[in-house]
Amino acid sequence: MDLDKDVKYVKGVGPNRVQLLNKLGIFTLKDLITYYPRTYEDRSKPKNIAECINGEEVLIEVIACGRLSDVHLNGKTMQKLLVRDETGSATIIWFNQSYLKNKFEIGHKYKFYGKINNQFGKITMISPVFDENGKNFNTGKIIPIYPLTYQLSQNVLRKIIEAGLKEVDGNLEETLPEYIIKENNLSNINQATKLIHFPNEFEDFKIARKRLVFEELLSTQLALLALKNSYQNDENGIAFSKEVKMSDVINQLPFKLTKAQLKVLEEIDTNMEAPTAMNRLLQGDVGSGKTVVAMCAAYKAVKCGYQATIMAPTAILATQHLENFQRMLKNLNINCELLISGFSKKKKEALLERLANGEIDILIGTHAIIEENVQFKNLGLVVTDEQHRFGVKQRTKISQKGENPDVLVMTATPIPRTLAIILYGDLDISIIDELPPNRKKIETFAVGKSMTERVNNFIEKQIKEGRQAYIVCPLVEENEELDLKSVEKLYEMYQKEIFPQYRVEYIHGKMKPKEKDEIMERFKNGNIDILISTTVIEVGVDVPNSNIMVIENAERFGLAQLHQLRGRVGRGDYQSYCILKYEGKGENVRERMKVMCNTNDGFVISEKDLELRGSGDFFGTMQHGLPEFKIANLFEDMPILKIVQNVAGRILQDDPKLEKQENKLLGKLIQDKFMKRLEI
Ligand code: ADP
Ligand code: MG
């Protein structure tokens, strides 16, 4: 049996179907049998007609008690069949299925599976699937439902997969070592593959799924950890001098670092002094003080004779970092400069020259830093801020501007450690799990439309007291043109109708960086009272005097994003407020709003986000370069993930290169699955 053989040789697959299967990503026999169901329908246990609930999908086992009637209506036809069991009767209805005419015989038994419609006791079922009594093709068992079928019907795809499984017929080679199967009580590969498609009971499917999820997570985790090990054994990194003390800069700061900041700095320091290249993720909630951590690391790199670079996702943020760095490093004889797009040619050339000959110690900027002509004299440390905006590729690209520089990736999306290990599996992780002291909780309210006037009065009250407000525009489908329109519309409304007496301005992503900076600068200096904005202000910008944020159509934002946005206020001494204006009454909407009102803890929020949105959406917006999972779901399968991480850690500790006889299969598994894709 050849798993790589073309799916066109599987029974029941003609040229037409090959094309459709290919569209589903199924090219080989292996692809076919690993095309897992999305869900199942339990068509195994019949229900009495009298017990059927309106809207539920059920199996009924009934006797045909009349002939199939075939009614013609405006060129269409409708077929009706009256059926009954001991508890009641029902009418089965089809449209345009005249061929069914002679299918049913009075007094014979049939099984129908479909959706029940119960109107005032009149029960109907429209277009059900059915079997004659005694036959079990469409009913009488648990039926897999596949995620996508294009023009293939579920039935056809199911038949093809059944045929594929028959060819395999229990002859799949085991992919997991015997000891792992035994220790973790997993089913074998043949059993699991068969039962994931055709379980006899729900219990079967759970057992099968566990085995397949386990394998998928284990191979991913092993591949990522192996990748990390390979960095760590590679002693080609920079060993920054132990003589340069971070404490020299820490003592100069205008505030005392939190315990959490000191702890992560120690981790970073140790890592920098080691001869291997650092690849570290720094996680911390909004406002936890990541920037200053990056600055201390940069200080160390510079005083050891290297250059450092900080890459931020927006020009505004880069500018703000620059100001902070300059302020805090001013007595330490370190030269920080800014590089963003839109500089004049002359200005840029001069800057690049200073960079190349080492006059610039720390270069702070945006994506512009990645450009080819940006060359450092000796880059020793790369920091990327708000990692979810940068892909792994960009990270690599910028690292290549130095010789194995240390890399620190900062993210404000707090995710549980277990998930971080698999999402950023190739990185070490440091977490700042504490906010600087005296931070006030941002009071958050979720309100409907009817509260608009009260909200506006509240904004006015704050402005009268000298504060400033952000008003965040609804997201429009990641479409900048439309986002622009909605920000302009909102601006008109606030400036002309609601607050003509105040200084209202707006800012959006399509403006030139310079324009944006000017507006932010004026807002910072208190020359704007109300700033209408798209999510360009989402990351990092600090305006301590603004203490109120109104988010329009808050229901359109994910929780993690709302949390990020909200983090823009509450940065000064004033009590701050976040008002979520939302529409729609869905359970999910209300629950999301409630989470925001109840907690300021980013970890709690991101876990909730994950739960409510499902891991697909959640990671879709933030993951880069991680292989997609065929069957595992990082949220639901967290318990398995935890076990797997344990197992993977132990295996690699004992056998880092997976060379032992009992681990050969694992080596092969990760080789096959990941090495090519991760390009290692
Ligand atoms: P984030 O982690 O969201 O990037 P920042 O680095 O922007 O947070 O820090 C938020 C604010 O807190 C900044 O104004 C910063 O100067 C201040 N800050 C950082 N660490 C401390 C500390 N230990 N004590 C007081 N303020 C701090
Ligand atoms: Mg930040």
Side-chain angles (χ1 to χ4, degrees):
M1 172 207 43
D2 174 14
L3 280 177
D4 291 325
K5 92 172 183 187
D6 196 315
V7 72
K8 74 181 174 197
Y9 300 118
V10 173
K11 199 177 143 214
V13 182
N16 238 335
R17 289 177 177 172
V18 165
Q19 280 188 5
L20 296 172
L21 288 169
N22 288 171
K23 272 197 190 166
L24 297 172
I26 301 172
F27 296 90
T28 63
L29 177 58
K30 183 174 179 189
D31 296 337
L32 182 70
I33 61 171
T34 56
Y35 192 74
Y36 300 125
R38 169 175 58 83
T39 180
Y40 301 83
E41 278 176 7
D42 188 354
R43 305 182 188 168
S44 62
K45 294 176 196 72
K47 235 181 160 176
N48 290 332
I49 291 180
E51 287 163 11
C52 292
I53 299 164
N54 188 25
E56 95 179 305
E57 304 214 340
V58 292
L59 180 75
I60 51 177
E61 224 174 62
V62 291
I63 292 173
C65 45
R67 277 189 194 294
L68 185 92
S69 70
D70 197 358
V71 189
H72 290 249
L73 281 165
N74 311 329
K76 290 184 187 141
T77 67
M78 179 163 93
Q79 292 73 36
K80 281 186 177 183
L81 181 70
L82 192 65
V83 300
R84 64 171 170 77
D85 65 10
E86 288 97 65
T87 67
S89 63
T91 308
I92 313 286
I93 298 173
W94 289 269
F95 297 98
N96 300 320
Q97 311 284 328
S98 295
Y99 74 94
L100 291 173
K101 219 181 221 162
N102 300 317
K103 271 256 172 210
F104 304 100
E105 285 184 48
I106 299 178
H108 281 216
K109 268 194 166 179
Y110 299 92
K111 291 178 292 184
F112 294 96
Y113 180 86
K115 198 176 189 174
I116 288 288
N117 187 357
N118 182 344
Q119 275 193 329
F120 310 112
K122 234 179 111 102
I123 294 172
T124 53
M125 192 185 257
I126 296 177
S127 306
V129 295
F130 61 91
D131 279 319
E132 276 168 49
N133 202 30
K135 291 205 173 151
N136 276 350
F137 182 69
N138 287 315
T139 66
K141 56 190 176 188
I142 296 171
I143 300 275
I145 307 291
Y146 294 95
L148 268 180
T149 56
Y150 286 100
Q151 286 110 354
L152 290 169
S153 70
Q154 290 284 347
N155 282 352
V156 168
L157 183 58
R158 196 164 81 233
K159 263 191 193 155
I160 295 172
I161 289 179
E162 214 170 1
L165 283 173
K166 223 173 234 153
E167 297 205 10
V168 169
D169 192 29
N171 288 322
L172 290 172
E173 272 173 51
E174 187 49 73
T175 45
L176 289 177
E178 188 62 34
Y179 78 96
I180 289 189
I181 293 185
K182 278 219 174 99
E183 280 172 18
N184 297 284
N185 205 3
L186 303 173
S187 59
N188 72 52
I189 183 79
N190 282 295
Q191 225 178 349
T193 306
K194 177 150 184 271
L195 294 180
I196 195 74
H197 292 285
F198 301 109
N200 301 317
E201 324 240 347
F202 273 104
E203 204 49 35
D204 289 347
F205 138 75
K206 274 196 213 146
I207 294 168
R209 188 171 182 283
K210 178 182 165 195
R211 139 85 208 212
L212 297 169
V213 168
F214 195 100
E215 176 176 332
E216 187 165 47
L217 291 176
L218 183 65
S219 51
T220 307
Q221 192 73 74
L222 281 173
L224 290 169
L225 291 179
L227 182 62
K228 186 158 101 182
N229 280 346
S230 73
Y231 300 150
Q232 281 171 347
N233 293 331
D234 179 4
E235 307 226 322
N236 291 328
I238 303 163
F240 291 94
S241 166
K242 288 186 165 63
E243 303 302 311
V244 176
K245 304 278 184 230
M246 283 192 187
S247 55
D248 290 344
V249 65
I250 293 174
N251 292 334
Q252 295 246 343
L253 295 172
F255 43 72
K256 236 180 104 201
L257 291 185
T258 61
K259 271 206 205 94
Q261 283 170 318
L262 289 169
K263 181 193 70 194
V264 303
L265 272 175
E266 181 145 350
E267 290 164 357
I268 291 169
D269 204 10
T270 310
N271 220 176
M272 287 180 77
E273 288 171 1
T276 53
M278 170 166 79
N279 280 286
R280 186 169 286 275
L281 176 74
L282 175 59
Q283 243 196 64
D285 210 342
V286 257
S288 61
K290 294 183 290 295
T291 317
V292 67
V293 168
M295 195 195 68
C296 295
Y299 165 86
K300 171 135 185 162
V302 170
K303 290 299 174 190
C304 290
Y306 292 88
Q307 290 167 300
T309 187
I310 320 288
M311 203 159 60
T314 64
I316 299 174
L317 198 59
T319 312
Q320 179 183 299
H321 283 339
L322 181 80
E323 284 163 8
N324 281 333
F325 273 55
Q326 282 175 334
R327 196 178 59 237
M328 292 195 262
L329 296 173
K330 70 173 178 258
N331 300 324
L332 297 166
N333 192 26
I334 290 177
N335 182 27
C336 306
E337 294 201 32
L338 182 72
L339 175 61
I340 52 182
S341 59
F343 278 4
S344 73
K345 199 166 168 224
K346 212 167 127 202
K347 182 170 172 188
K348 190 171 168 191
E349 271 169 7
L351 181 133
L352 291 182
E353 197 180 315
R354 288 198 300 284
L355 186 70
N357 66 27
E359 282 171 60
I360 298 176
D361 298 313
I362 302 178
L363 183 69
I364 300 179
T366 54
H367 282 80
I369 295 180
I370 303 176
E371 278 168 33
E372 205 123 311
N373 57 2
V374 178
Q375 275 165 9
F376 293 81
K377 182 158 180 242
N378 59 348
L379 180 62
L381 176 73
V382 174
V383 180
T384 63
D385 193 5
E386 315 295 351
Q387 146 74 9
H388 58 291
R389 304 267 172 131
F390 292 113
V392 171
K393 279 219 182 86
Q394 285 165 317
R395 209 164 78 206
T396 318
K397 229 173 174 174
I398 186 158
S399 296
Q400 282 162 354
K401 292 181 184 291
E403 272 179 48
N404 287 319
D406 279 6
V407 175
L408 184 66
V409 172
M410 305 200 291
T411 171
T413 309
I415 46 174
R417 185 181 273 272
T418 347
L419 281 187
I421 300 179
I422 198 147
L423 280 180
Y424 303 102
D426 59 327
L427 305 177
D428 289 308
I429 299 173
S430 290
I431 299 181
I432 308 184
D433 51 7
E434 175 186 2
L435 293 181
N438 302 327
R439 284 281 159 79
K440 291 195 184 74
K441 181 173 180 287
I442 301 164
E443 296 284 346
T444 303
F445 305 96
V447 302
K449 259 207 167 119
S450 60
M451 298 282 278
T452 303
E453 203 171 315
R454 281 179 67 183
V455 171
N456 291 342
N457 290 340
F458 188 67
I459 298 175
E460 180 157 19
K461 183 168 161 257
Q462 297 299 326
I463 296 177
K464 276 193 175 144
E465 285 175 20
R467 303 287 81 73
Q468 292 160 280
Y470 288 107
I471 293 176
V472 181
C473 226
L475 264 189
V476 193
E477 302 272 323
E478 301 264 317
N479 177 332
E480 287 196 14
E481 292 291 338
L482 290 177
D483 275 347
L484 188 69
K485 262 202 197 138
S486 79
V487 78
E488 281 170 349
K489 223 168 76 193
L490 215 57
Y491 165 73
E492 294 270 305
M493 187 175 89
Y494 276 98
Q495 175 73 91
K496 296 207 171 122
E497 292 165 30
I498 308 172
F499 295 122
Q501 72 276 35
Y502 294 122
R503 296 162 298 179
V504 183
E505 296 210 23
Y506 68 90
I507 185 168
H508 57 74
K510 273 217 155 168
M511 288 175 165
K512 294 213 174 71
K514 218 171 130 196
E515 240 178 307
K516 282 191 279 199
D517 287 351
E518 275 167 19
I519 292 172
M520 276 326 285
E521 200 56 42
R522 284 216 307 282
F523 190 59
K524 254 186 176 174
N525 296 336
N527 298 325
I528 296 172
D529 300 308
I530 300 173
L531 186 64
I532 317 265
S533 164
T534 57
T535 51
V536 292
I537 51 138
E538 179 188 342
V539 277
V541 185
D542 226 2
V543 183
N545 189 50
S546 76
N547 73 330
I548 176 162
M549 170 170 291
V550 177
I551 301 178
E552 304 273 347
N553 290 94
E555 76 280 357
R556 296 200 195 163
F557 296 87
L559 290 185
Q561 199 176 16
L562 288 175
H563 181 63
Q564 283 284 312
L565 285 166
R566 176 169 67 179
R568 294 311 101 215
V569 294
R571 302 206 147 214
D573 299 329
Y574 311 104
Q575 175 57 51
S576 292
Y577 305 92
C578 175
I579 296 167
L580 305 169
K581 286 168 109 175
Y582 73 99
E583 287 172 28
K585 294 207 167 63
E587 192 50 35
N588 194 295
V589 171
R590 243 179 293 172
E591 193 172 343
R592 275 159 47 205
M593 297 302 127
K594 209 165 95 195
V595 174
M596 293 303 297
C597 297
N598 288 348
T599 182
N600 272 241
D601 182 332
F603 279 94
V604 174
I605 288 170
S606 74
E607 254 179 89
K608 205 70 199 169
D609 201 20
L610 188 56
E611 182 186 330
L612 293 173
R613 280 206 281 166
S615 67
D617 286 352
F618 184 82
F619 295 112
T621 58
M622 58 179 289
Q623 99 185 27
H624 300 280
L626 190 81
E628 273 172 38
F629 292 110
K630 264 194 141 143
I631 189 162
N633 169 316
L634 290 181
F635 187 72
E636 281 171 25
D637 296 322
M638 183 65 83
I640 302 182
L641 180 59
K642 283 186 180 153
I643 297 170
V644 161
Q645 286 178 336
N646 231 316
V647 173
R650 265 187 294 141
I651 294 173
L652 286 175
Q653 198 165 35
D654 179 51
D655 183 13
K657 296 204 161 133
L658 300 176
E659 289 165 332
K660 289 194 175 169
Q661 188 53 37
E662 72 257 33
N663 290 328
K664 283 261 155 70
L665 282 176
L666 293 174
K668 187 168 172 298
L669 197 61
I670 65 175
Q671 195 74 33
D672 287 354
K673 241 176 162 169
F674 296 110
M675 290 317 185
K676 271 186 222 119
R677 277 213 246 169
L678 290 172
E679 294 174 59
I680 45 177

